[in-house]
């Protein structure tokens, strides 16, 4: 295992044991097949049990895995081609959000998403996936362009939150996100949103209003990150695991509370273990929903989208 978390140590230990047994078998030419079969069986059982019982904090860690596929990876796996569009026509081109026209199974769509970056240099270039107001205004410009040409919108959400810097607030961070919420709620084309990594606060919600909203199995979606919640409530990051449990931020929690439309299963061990399979699974969901949403009348589709979000948080006594 290239990169593993503390909770994955039992798996890493078994993998290491298997490698040692194979090395001994190669050197001594002794038949170790029985031992290897036993270890393989134990590894499979341990792996299945571990990933079926992940805590909220474990899933937060999984969503941040350095090898996890990001927006541009999914675009390359799902789309036949992609033409990136730049700039909000006001300030600049925010590299934290990418977007442009693409084709999925021959159908033209507008794809928008957060891009964190894979290495230190790229993460700095992408501002770690934390968009400024111009990023959300670029996203809105692209969505309006999609509406003009009657093309569906697909958004991939993966951010630690909108950029909290002073300059972002000066340029209207809150207004930019609020404008997106308003405009996306009445956009007259189908919108499919997928949380592919972290879904934190308004930074995620800024491109998260859709007819279909999904989460990958090992992702999280919440008004605040566990670390920030812990630092506010307990004045320390030491309680981040407890905060993650209390926030009910996992895909299972979100689906149980009717805040998302479905959970997309990941390969065993996470999307980073088999990116191609993850991309194939995600494409199946997108193609299916594009076909279903395309049959709806525009007014009915918009009405259903508004009703869905208006019903969230309503309590009937």
């Amino acid at each position: 295992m290239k990169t593993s978390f503390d909770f994955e140590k039992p798996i890493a230990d078994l993998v290491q044991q298997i490698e040692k047994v194979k090395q001994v078998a190669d050197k001594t030419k002794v038949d170790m097949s029985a031992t290897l079969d036993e270890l393989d069986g134990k590894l499979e059982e341990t792996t299945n049990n571990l990933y079926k019982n992940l805590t909220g904090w474990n899933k937060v860690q999984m969503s941040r895995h350095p090898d996890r596929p990001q927006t541009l990876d999914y675009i390359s796996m799902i789309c036949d081609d992609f033409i990136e569009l730049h700039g909000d026509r006001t300030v600049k081109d925010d590299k934290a959000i990418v977007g442009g026209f693409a084709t999925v199974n021959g159908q033209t769509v507008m794809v928008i998403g957060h891009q964190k970056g894979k290495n230190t240099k790229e993460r700095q270039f992408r501002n770690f996936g934390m968009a400024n107001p111009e990023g959300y205004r670029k996203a809105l410009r692209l969505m309006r362009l999609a509406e003009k040409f009657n093309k569906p919108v697909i958004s991939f959400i993966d951010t630690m939150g909108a950029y909290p810097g002073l300059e972002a607030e000066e340029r209207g961070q809150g207004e930019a996100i609020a404008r997106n919420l308003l405009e996306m709620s009445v956009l007259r084309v189908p919108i499919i949103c997928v949380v592919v990594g972290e879904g934190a606060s308004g930074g995620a919600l800024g491109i998260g209003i859709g007819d279909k909203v999904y989460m990958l199995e090992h992702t999280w979606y919440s008004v605040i990150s566990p670390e920030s919640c812990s630092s506010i409530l307990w004045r320390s990051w030491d309680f981040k695991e407890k905060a993650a449990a209390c926030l009910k931020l996992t895909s299972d929690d979100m689906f149980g509370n009717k805040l998302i439309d479905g959970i997309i299963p990941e390969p065993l061990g996470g999307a980073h273990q088999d990116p191609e399979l993850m991309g194939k699974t995600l494409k199946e969901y997108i193609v299916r929903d594009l076909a279903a949403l395309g049959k709806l009348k525009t007014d009915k589709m918009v009405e259903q989208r508004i009703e869905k979000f208006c019903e969230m948080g309503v309590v009937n006594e």
Side-chain angles (χ1 to χ4, degrees):
M1 299 178 69
K2 293 181 181 179
T3 303
S4 61
F5 300 109
D6 291 340
F7 70 87
E8 293 177 307
K9 191 175 184 303
I11 298 175
D13 290 342
L14 284 170
V15 170
Q16 191 174 15
Q17 287 182 41
I18 291 172
E19 290 300 320
K20 287 182 179 179
V21 171
K22 287 180 179 178
Q23 290 174 8
V24 171
D26 289 338
K27 287 182 180 179
T28 62
K29 306 301 180 183
V30 175
D31 184 10
M32 306 287 284
S33 57
T35 303
L36 286 172
D37 289 342
E38 183 181 350
L39 287 172
D40 285 337
K42 191 173 181 181
L43 176 62
E44 183 179 358
E45 181 183 357
T46 302
T47 302
N48 287 326
N49 290 336
L50 191 147
Y51 290 115
K52 284 180 181 177
N53 298 287
L54 293 179
T55 65
W57 176 244
N58 293 154
K59 293 206 172 190
V60 171
Q61 291 176 290
M62 291 281 283
S63 73
R64 295 171 177 171
H65 196 284
D67 298 327
R68 192 174 181 85
Q70 298 179 10
T71 293
L72 290 176
D73 298 316
Y74 286 117
I75 289 174
S76 66
M77 290 187 286
I78 293 170
C79 303
D80 304 317
D81 53 28
F82 174 59
I83 301 174
E84 186 174 356
L85 302 175
H86 301 272
D88 70 335
R89 301 295 186 268
T90 303
V91 180
K92 65 176 183 179
D93 181 37
D94 191 338
K95 305 299 184 182
I97 287 187
V98 297
F101 282 115
T103 55
V104 178
N105 276 14
Q107 181 177 1
T108 303
V109 298
M110 178 65 77
V111 183
I112 301 167
H114 300 97
Q115 180 68 21
K116 287 181 175 179
K118 293 295 185 72
N119 52 50
T120 302
K121 186 175 181 179
E122 188 181 349
R123 289 187 186 111
Q124 290 177 330
F125 178 70
R126 299 287 182 183
N127 200 31
F128 298 86
M130 296 186 293
N132 281 279
E134 47 270 23
Y136 293 104
R137 289 174 180 137
K138 174 172 75 171
L140 180 57
R141 181 178 76 83
L142 298 186
M143 287 186 279
R144 284 174 173 165
L145 191 62
E147 183 181 46
K148 178 179 179 180
F149 293 107
N150 195 30
K151 303 302 179 185
V153 174
I154 300 170
S155 77
F156 297 119
I157 299 164
D158 184 14
T159 181
M160 295 181 287
Y163 184 59
L166 178 62
E167 61 272 25
E169 298 298 339
E170 289 175 340
R171 293 196 298 273
Q173 184 74 283
E175 187 277 336
I177 293 173
R179 176 67 59 181
N180 279 22
L181 302 185
L182 172 62
E183 297 286 348
M184 289 185 78
S185 65
V186 295
L187 202 72
R188 297 181 66 79
V189 292
I191 307 174
I192 300 173
C193 306
V194 185
V195 181
V196 297
E198 297 185 86
S201 193
L205 202 56
I207 58 170
I209 304 296
D211 302 291
K212 293 291 183 180
V213 181
Y214 293 105
M215 290 176 66
L216 300 194
E217 184 180 358
H218 301 312
T219 60
W220 64 277
Y221 202 8
S222 175
V223 69
I224 193 171
S225 70
E227 295 94 332
S228 297
C229 178
S230 176
S231 65
I232 292 172
L233 295 181
W234 291 283
R235 307 296 181 187
S236 168
W237 279 22
D238 296 338
F239 298 91
K240 56 184 179 293
E241 295 183 33
K242 184 177 180 180
C246 294
L247 285 169
K248 302 293 182 183
L249 43 66
T250 68
S251 55
D252 291 325
D253 293 324
M254 296 295 289
F255 184 66
N257 289 324
K258 299 180 180 180
L259 298 175
I260 59 172
D261 297 294
I263 302 170
I264 301 178
E266 296 188 24
L268 186 63
H272 55 279
Q273 296 292 352
D274 194 343
E276 290 186 3
L277 177 58
M278 187 69 257
K280 182 180 178 182
T281 304
L282 184 53
K283 184 175 182 178
E284 290 174 356
Y285 275 77
I286 290 173
V287 170
R288 181 197 67 189
D289 286 336
L290 286 176
L293 292 170
K295 296 176 182 178
L296 289 176
K297 291 184 178 180
T298 302
D299 290 337
K300 182 66 174 178
M301 179 183 67
V302 173
E303 181 184 344
Q304 289 179 352
R305 188 190 307 155
I306 294 172
E307 287 179 356
K308 179 175 73 172
F309 282 90
C310 286
E311 289 174 358
M312 293 180 184
V314 176
V315 178
N316 295 318
E317 294 183 356

